[in-house]
Amino acid sequence: MQALLFIFSCALALLTSFGAQAQEFRALARILPEASMLEDSGRGGAELTLALSQAVPYRVYLLDDPARVVLDFREVTWSGLAEGFDRSAHVTSVQTGRGDAGWSRMVLLLDTPMGIDRAAMQTDDTDGSAVVHLSLSRISDAAFADRAAEAPPGTRLPPIALSGSVASGRNDGLIMVALDPGHGGVDPGAERRGENEADLMLVFALELREVLLRSGLFDVMLTREGDWFVSLPERLTLARGAGADVFLSLHADAIASGIAQGATVYTLSDTASDAASQALAEAHDRADLLAGVDLAGNDDEVAGVLMDLARRDTAPRAHAMADRIVESFLAANIALHPHPRMEAGFSVLKAPDIPSALIELGFISDAGDLANLLDPAWRERVQIAIRDALLAWAAEDEARAGLLRQ
Ligand SMILES: [Zn+2]
């Protein structure tokens, strides 16, 4: 018993030091000034290149009166950005700062209305650094006003302080949910009747984000916000960078033969529940392999023994979360697969320190499931069920953590 207790307290000590290390992994991204630049392009436009020490979630939008381009990053330190950074005649000033709720902001004040032709973040898989490219070109006042009206909700609130630094931290009591719309870009996922999984999951994730945010109890990040390719390891890096408390991957795959319908919730396991689950997990790795991403040994940045300990702690939490989702689906009368709780070796569920689950909302190969996925009312029922499941799970998880601390 003494020995057991000793081992247990060692494990706790290691977990504590893992916590400290996890904090370091969440260190702020830094701007890399020498590789960053803002300059004019042809026909009155401008090009922005921002090099960052690591990939972080970001958003870009326009604000009117005065005309501005706003880039929000979660979260970047701006120190080192030199005077000579802004060489554009059309950008009157560049302001940077940190706001509350974990966002860092860059505002480009424009001397003429410009639209965003292209905004993309490219990440370097070897060192995790990232480069944001933004192309701006001249548009009419009316077009600018239209686009500025599409700024994400919340961003039209009073502007965040842009000079000096405002105290910032994630201790806001919100549950940070990473939503991972499966597939995207060169990998459309399953396709049936002119619909594809990547697009359907993006729509679902954007709506789910709204449902979660509206409750006031969650913060949400998406691993992709458009139709582009994000590798599986990159999805985890983005989630960790945002300080995710939970990770939900969203899918609606097809089966090659036979009949399958209804929702399934997967958690990670080395041994798949059945051959179909195994095939599904392998299919999801295939897009990455085709895109040249090496998944072998890409078990996150956390060192071996710490990772095992973290997984030992995280796995039961993930199982509990998946169970709550299935229960919540049942309670909301959402069609479930005959075996709704399954396990398989999905690479995207391998974050050792973030409870993760993969939800197959249905099978795009089933006409009824596809009709559901295309039905906003059905989607909203599912989204509310997921919200309620996460709240039930979080309360239970907190109670469990409290017991462990005693
Ligand atoms: Zn999928």
Side-chain angles (χ1 to χ4, degrees), residues 183 197 251-253 284 360:
H183 312 275
E197 187 185 357
H251 290 260
D253 282 275
H284 280 133
E360 291 282 350

Side-chain angles (χ1 to χ4, degrees), residues 58-115:
Y58 78 110
R59 58 188 182 190
V60 187
Y61 50 93
L62 302 175
L63 289 180
D64 214 345
D65 299 317
R68 285 156 293 167
V69 177
V70 182
L71 295 102
D72 285 339
F73 294 91
R74 185 171 286 233
E75 182 172 3
V76 169
T77 55
W78 298 111
S79 52
L81 206 56
E83 284 287 309
F85 162 74
D86 177 11
R87 297 173 206 165
S88 164
H90 303 301
V91 177
T92 331
S93 83
V94 177
Q95 287 181 297
T96 56
R98 272 171 79 184
D100 47 7
W103 289 101
S104 301
R105 183 167 289 182
M106 170 176 272
V107 181
L108 313 179
L109 187 64
L110 309 176
D111 78 338
T112 176
M114 284 193 243

Side-chain angles (χ1 to χ4, degrees), residues 265-269 271-274 277 319 341-346:
V265 184
Y266 281 91
T267 46
L268 178 69
S269 170
T271 48
S273 302
D274 58 15
S277 303
H319 292 164
R341 267 291 282 119
M342 303 280 257
E343 300 188 330
F346 289 102

Side-chain angles (χ1 to χ4, degrees), residues 119 224 298:
R224 69 177 175 94
N298 209 326

